Amino acid sequence: MGRIGPIEVMRILKILKRLWPNPGAMEIGNPYQNLVGVMLSARTRDEQVLKLMPGFFRAFSTVEKLADATTKQIEGKISTIGMYRQKAKNLKKMAVDVVVKFGGKIPSTMDELIRLAGVGRKTASVVLVASFDTPAIAVDTHVHRVTNRLGWVKTKTPQKTEQALLKLVPDKLKHTVNQVFVKHGRYICISKPRCWACPVRDLCAFKQKNLVAPKNAREILIDMERREQVLEELRRQAIR
Ligand code: SF4
């Protein structure tokens, strides 16, 4: 494979967008709902977060209401997910900061977002692209793994991957990177990759491709589709 450039990037993203057309699981609602969703989803399955969201936003429909709540009250609404005590603390601090320092409006720049409690570059990037239409790339372990395998980057950490991808991917496509690679990394480019089911295998630089479909390939593909449908349905219902 030669050096990867914008044309190849565009081609691969187009193919993967056809395979994974749904938005990211936490691309929901207004900036406040979007930010809360991404903060809750750290090291937690998206399904678990999406299930608790209707109850959460009934209790705390605005950032002001969240700022007025006690940490205990917030814990009570998120106790089904991992690290809920820490997350409740961060949500409370974030909400107070947004009210006091930003007049109740979720800030719309990277520098301001990462000053909020519990908000790192990954969380901020999801909010920037989903809520403010600002080019950014949220790099989690999936995005890091898949883009390294594809040969887009040669990096050891997600932070370095983010820097490299920000240079490589044209602005108008940055939003798509997280959307498609998170799903691709969750279902197909998993630790033992399912290259046999991958529509970009001919464009991928990974040397140890797993091209032999297992006997239960059909069941795997059906299950993958079902899981993605369930996730999308939960996403749509999360803020009704
Ligand atoms: S061909 Fe295999 S390693 Fe490459 S992106 Fe597809 S699943 Fe991942």
Side-chain angles (χ1 to χ4, degrees):
M1 300 260 321
R3 226 177 108 75
I4 192 92
I7 303 284
E8 290 81 4
V9 164
M10 215 180 306
R11 196 165 156 210
I12 290 175
L13 288 177
K14 199 172 161 194
I15 295 170
L16 290 180
K17 186 69 189 164
R18 274 204 297 269
L19 183 64
W20 310 117
N22 297 328
M26 294 303 146
E27 291 190 34
I28 44 175
N30 59 36
Y32 161 62
Q33 292 165 325
N34 182 205
L35 176 58
V36 168
V38 186
M39 288 176 73
L40 290 174
S41 69
R43 296 186 199 195
T44 302
R45 287 167 63 86
D46 292 335
E47 291 84 344
Q48 283 181 286
V49 176
L50 292 169
K51 277 181 192 163
L52 65 76
M53 276 188 165
F56 185 95
F57 290 120
R58 262 197 304 278
F60 315 116
S61 56
T62 63
V63 73
E64 286 82 3
K65 286 191 178 152
L66 188 60
D68 285 343
T70 64
T71 309
K72 276 272 166 251
Q73 286 169 330
I74 301 172
E75 282 180 9
K77 293 290 170 196
I78 63 172
S79 60
T80 52
I81 62 171
M83 302 189 305
Y84 72 95
R85 289 206 171 92
Q86 188 57 44
K87 287 178 182 174
K89 266 190 217 151
N90 284 341
L91 285 171
K92 164 87 184 169
K93 278 197 217 157
M94 174 279 286
V96 170
D97 272 358
V98 169
V99 171
V100 174
K101 297 182 186 159
F102 298 99
K105 276 194 147 186
I106 303 296
S108 58
T109 68
M110 176 65 84
D111 287 350
E112 291 169 324
L113 279 165
I114 59 175
R115 277 166 44 206
L116 299 173
V119 179
R121 286 190 68 87
K122 181 158 64 94
T123 298
S125 295
V126 176
V127 174
L128 285 175
V129 290
S131 289
F132 299 111
D133 207 12
T134 300
I137 300 181
V139 177
D140 68 351
T141 52
H142 295 307
V143 178
H144 177 61
R145 182 177 63 253
V146 182
T147 53
N148 268 282
R149 284 177 172 171
L150 279 168
W152 285 20
V153 296
K154 266 194 192 151
T155 48
K156 294 268 184 258
T157 64
Q159 290 75 15
K160 291 257 175 342
T161 302
E162 185 200 351
Q163 287 162 19
L165 289 176
L166 283 172
K167 283 190 206 139
L168 174 70
V169 181
D171 276 357
K172 63 176 181 179
L173 294 172
K174 287 192 166 89
H175 189 170
T176 312
V177 172
N178 178 274
Q179 276 182 348
V180 300
F181 287 138
V182 167
K183 290 179 192 291
H184 204 58
R186 180 182 294 159
Y187 299 113
I188 290 187
C189 197
I190 56 177
S191 58
K192 184 182 176 190
R194 294 166 168 158
C195 307
W196 48 270
C198 180
V200 295
R201 59 180 170 261
D202 294 340
L203 304 166
C204 174
F206 191 53
K207 295 229 168 27
Q208 295 99 40
K209 288 199 187 85
N210 169 26
L211 294 166
V212 183
K215 285 200 179 85
N216 62 340
R218 195 164 168 271
E219 284 80 8
I220 290 173
L221 295 177
I222 290 170
D223 181 59
M224 210 183 279
E225 201 171 312
R226 187 194 52 79
R227 281 168 60 201
E228 181 57 12
Q229 270 170 6
V230 169
L231 191 65
E232 178 58 8
E233 195 47 42
L234 283 171
R235 191 187 71 84
R236 285 169 195 241
Q237 287 173 3
I239 50 153
R240 266 187 198 161

